[in-house]
Amino acid sequence: MEFGPDGCLYIADWYNKIVSHNEVATSHPDRDKSHGRIWRISHKSQKPKKIPNFYEVKTSDLVGYLKSPSIWAKRAAWHQITDRPIGETGALAKELVLLASDNQQDEITRIMALWSLEGIKHYDQGLMATLLGSKYTNLKREAVRALQSFSLDAGTLAQLLEGLSKDDNPMVRSEVLRTLDAVGTANPETIALLVGACNPPLEGNDMGGAYERNFERYLARKALENYPKELLAFLRSPKASQYATANLIWASQALPQEERETVFMDLWKKADNKELDEPTFIIVAGMLENDQVMKMMLPVLENVGKAQEHVSLTLDNLAKVQSKELSNALIKPIGHLLKSSDKSQQNLGLEAIGKLGISSLRNNVVPFVNEDSSSETIKLAMLALVGQPEKNRAIFERIAKMENLELDLRTEALQALAKADMQAASKAINDWMPNLDQSQKQSITGILSNSEVGSTLLKQLYETGTLTSEEFNLSSAEKVFQSNPEDARGIELFDKVKNRIDEEKHAFESKLQRFMAIAEKGGGNPENGK
């Protein structure tokens, strides 16, 4: 406890032990330059204690302040040890080593002593071995991080970190990977530690398992990118056979492209398990421009027994994997899905055709457009056929005339039909429109106004009187106008809708003012409803 000059009690010790224990221990000495937080409770009866000015504290007294119950004093002393000329603070090394080694001290004090040793660039082999074997997780983790500060050779690092790379605590394991990333030096032993952390991902992303595994995979691969030569030598050495193929494939992604593809092909040939998990599938998809990789992987990708799995992986990772090579490789599996009796597999195949832009399976898609098909199936079939509007004109016309379909699907079919045959689209919608109410017509204008051909169709309907300005809101009218700002029909329509909106707004404001006036007078009659 500390007392300020105003007689107030400063409770740093309680706060630090209860709240800031982890925060202090996890702070990085190069980042954390604050002097801590202090709570203040009025206590006028106690004699004020003088707060030291750490700029004036003797260098020889600074280590003692690292044992202070005040986190502010601890940090201030550590900063002074780090910031003062090393010619002065270097003499504190022995005392700091003893403090950091002292099991009777609390964890925070020992960490502050370790940070101070980093500040004066003093490495003590015995001390680091002790701290790395500590039962205190924060102290152990900070010791792992501190190894970055002492310019150790890769052999020493490997020896110190081998056991910790398999520590039960994920914070310690991840700090090992960060340290190996930061030190800028590697040998076969440190590369082995990084490859060992490239374990296959776990399903999900929950804390306490999958999240930590996935994060460690990322950290390991990031570190390996610093050491491509050492990694390549390791992968070509007999030591690599001690690790699972999945680890080696993930690690090899840190290599330059040409070497990465060569290593992958060598590893795949030796692999007993030819299954593609999600990360490996993404890796493979990114290599298919290489003819040798394509030749080797084509039998795997074309395997109809894995059709649902591989097509699903493609759609789930479309932005990462889409390519002409992958689309061609999946034609056979997608065709297999369309022949399935399972509706979900059929729809998966239809979705893949539309999103991958596969035109060669058109004849497999057409049979799905019939009166018995669900709305979902027809929607996916349209997505699969929309890339060839002229060739599929009759199909879109048939969908547009299906009275059992939802209005939005029929409208989308009309829009696709308009791209191929505006006259047929105009005839279909003219036959359909008289049977709709105003709300339905407004829905149609909202959909069709999103495309240029749809806007053209709407202007024709407006010109013939099939649609009036009442069936347009401001947004749809503006889109029709913007599709061709020089078209007089669009200009007239937009002006009418704007005028109507302005009139409606003015009428609302007038009505509101009238009601407000009545409310202010307070003369309403509840019996008459006014």
Side-chain angles (χ1 to χ4, degrees):
M1 299 182 186
E2 297 177 10
F3 294 87
D6 60 350
C8 292
L9 174 63
Y10 288 76
I11 309 180
D13 189 32
W14 295 354
Y15 175 76
N16 296 329
K17 288 184 178 179
I18 296 173
V19 179
S20 293
H21 183 84
N22 288 334
E23 175 189 322
V24 172
T26 57
S27 298
H28 190 295
D30 291 336
R31 297 192 296 265
D32 188 355
K33 298 298 183 184
S34 68
H35 282 182
R37 291 175 288 183
I38 300 173
W39 282 9
R40 184 171 178 269
I41 299 177
S42 180
H43 199 296
K44 295 291 184 181
S45 62
Q46 297 292 334
K47 183 179 179 181
K49 181 178 179 180
K50 183 178 179 181
I51 298 177
N53 182 346
F54 277 90
Y55 290 108
E56 299 175 355
V57 171
K58 293 180 180 179
T59 299
S60 58
D61 294 336
L62 289 173
V63 176
Y65 280 100
L66 294 178
K67 295 182 281 187
S68 170
S70 165
I71 230 12
W72 174 82
K74 288 178 185 289
R75 292 188 177 194
W78 153 53
H79 284 304
Q80 288 300 308
I81 293 170
T82 298
D83 295 342
R84 292 184 186 185
I86 202 166
E88 296 179 25
T89 55
L92 303 176
K94 184 176 180 180
E95 194 176 354
L96 288 169
V97 169
L98 290 174
L99 183 59
S101 305
D102 189 352
N103 287 325
Q104 301 303 313
Q105 299 294 331
D106 62 73
E107 188 178 17
I108 299 173
T109 296
R110 297 176 71 184
I111 288 174
M112 291 291 185
L114 173 62
W115 288 359
S116 300
L117 285 167
E118 284 187 83
I120 64 174
K121 306 297 182 185
H122 181 83
Y123 176 73
D124 186 282
Q125 183 176 351
L127 170 65
M128 294 308 294
T130 298
L131 298 185
L132 292 170
S134 173
K135 65 179 180 180
Y136 299 108
T137 299
N138 291 325
L139 182 57
K140 180 163 52 177
R141 188 197 64 250
E142 281 301 296
V144 171
R145 185 202 53 73
L147 294 175
Q148 304 172 26
S149 303
F150 300 120
S151 302
L152 302 177
D153 62 86
T156 301
L157 287 167
Q159 185 178 5
L160 292 172
L161 297 176
E162 182 176 7
L164 293 167
S165 67
K166 300 178 179 65
D167 195 89
D168 291 338
N169 192 296
M171 297 290 286
V172 174
R173 296 196 303 269
S174 62
E175 200 61 58
V176 168
L177 301 175
R178 289 191 187 94
T179 295
L180 292 176
D181 182 6
V183 292
T185 183
N187 69 1
E189 286 71 35
T190 58
I191 295 295
L193 296 181
L194 293 170
V195 172
C198 294
N199 293 307
L202 298 176
E203 187 175 350
N205 203 34
D206 295 333
M207 297 293 292
Y211 177 86
E212 286 78 6
R213 168 69 66 83
N214 296 335
F215 187 48
E216 287 168 32
R217 280 165 53 84
Y218 159 78
L219 290 174
R221 179 166 158 182
K222 178 178 180 293
L224 286 167
E225 289 175 357
N226 294 330
Y227 316 111
K229 292 181 180 179
E230 293 85 351
L231 173 59
L232 183 60
F234 177 85
L235 293 172
R236 289 175 173 172
S237 72
K239 291 184 179 180
S241 62
Q242 301 174 19
Y243 294 85
T245 302
N247 287 54
L248 299 175
I249 289 176
W250 181 254
S252 70
Q253 299 310 295
L255 296 171
Q257 181 178 348
E258 185 176 347
E259 295 170 344
R260 179 169 70 237
E261 293 173 356
T262 300
V263 168
F264 172 78
M265 288 188 288
D266 291 340
L267 290 172
W268 189 260
K269 290 173 185 176
K270 298 173 185 177
D272 295 327
N273 182 7
K274 302 294 186 181
E275 301 288 329
L276 289 173
D277 59 17
E278 186 168 11
T280 309
F281 183 86
I282 294 171
I283 289 169
V284 168
M287 297 180 177
L288 294 179
E289 288 185 1
N290 183 315
D291 292 338
Q292 291 179 294
V293 175
M294 171 60 91
K295 184 178 179 180
M296 184 176 68
M297 298 307 301
L298 189 58
V300 179
L301 296 172
E302 286 188 333
N303 180 4
V304 295
K306 292 290 182 178
Q308 184 173 2
E309 182 179 341
H310 291 166
V311 173
S312 295
L313 286 173
T314 300
L315 297 181
D316 290 343
N317 300 279
L318 200 58
K320 299 177 183 178
V321 304
Q322 189 169 12
S323 69
K324 179 181 66 176
E325 291 78 13
L326 180 60
S327 297
N328 290 337
L330 292 177
I331 288 176
K332 185 176 178 181
I334 292 172
H336 177 76
L337 292 175
L338 295 181
K339 295 175 184 176
S340 171
S341 58
D342 187 328
K343 294 294 183 184
S344 63
Q345 291 194 22
Q346 293 174 358
N347 287 347
L348 178 64
L350 292 171
E351 182 182 2
I353 292 171
K355 290 185 175 179
L356 297 177
I358 299 174
S359 59
S360 60
L361 292 173
R362 175 190 177 275
N363 292 338
N364 302 68
V365 175
V366 172
F368 288 95
V369 181
N370 60 69
E371 296 288 346
D372 297 327
S373 295
S374 67
S375 296
E376 181 184 5
T377 297
I378 290 180
K379 183 175 182 178
L380 292 171
M382 278 202 301
L383 176 66
L385 298 172
V386 75
Q388 299 174 291
E390 293 185 3
K391 195 171 185 178
N392 298 307
R393 184 193 65 79
I395 298 171
F396 296 135
E397 187 172 7
R398 190 196 320 165
I399 296 173
K401 293 179 179 180
M402 288 183 177
E403 296 182 357
N404 60 321
L405 279 185
E406 292 87 345
L407 181 142
D408 60 336
L409 283 180
R410 295 181 67 183
T411 306
E412 288 173 9
L414 276 170
Q415 192 163 241
L417 176 60
K419 293 179 181 179
D421 189 338
M422 182 63 72
Q423 186 176 355
S426 180
K427 182 179 185 306
I429 199 168
N430 272 293
D431 291 341
W432 180 26
M433 196 65 70
N435 300 320
L436 303 178
D437 58 32
Q438 188 177 54
S439 174
Q440 291 172 318
K441 291 178 181 179
Q442 288 175 342
S443 297
I444 290 175
T445 59
I447 296 171
L448 292 178
S449 64
N450 289 318
S451 71
E452 186 175 345
V453 293
S455 294
T456 300
L457 187 58
L458 290 174
K459 283 183 283 190
Q460 290 180 1
L461 295 171
Y462 172 71
E463 186 177 24
T464 60
T466 306
L467 286 176
T468 69
S469 62
E470 297 295 323
E471 279 82 58
F472 291 81
N473 58 30
L474 188 60
S475 174
S476 59
E478 184 174 11
K479 289 176 184 177
V480 170
F481 163 69
Q482 291 291 350
S483 68
N484 183 0
E486 304 299 323
D487 192 322
R489 296 172 299 177
I491 296 172
E492 179 185 333
L493 172 64
F494 189 36
D495 287 341
K496 282 190 175 182
V497 173
K498 281 196 301 181
N499 291 336
R500 188 189 80 219
I501 299 297
D502 289 341
E503 289 173 3
E504 290 174 352
K505 182 179 179 181
H506 178 72
F508 173 79
E509 290 176 348
S510 298
K511 190 173 183 180
L512 179 62
Q513 289 175 1
R514 183 165 60 87
F515 285 140
M516 292 296 292
I518 293 173
E520 288 174 2
K521 291 180 180 179
N525 187 340
E527 293 181 1
N528 294 335
K530 294 184 179 180

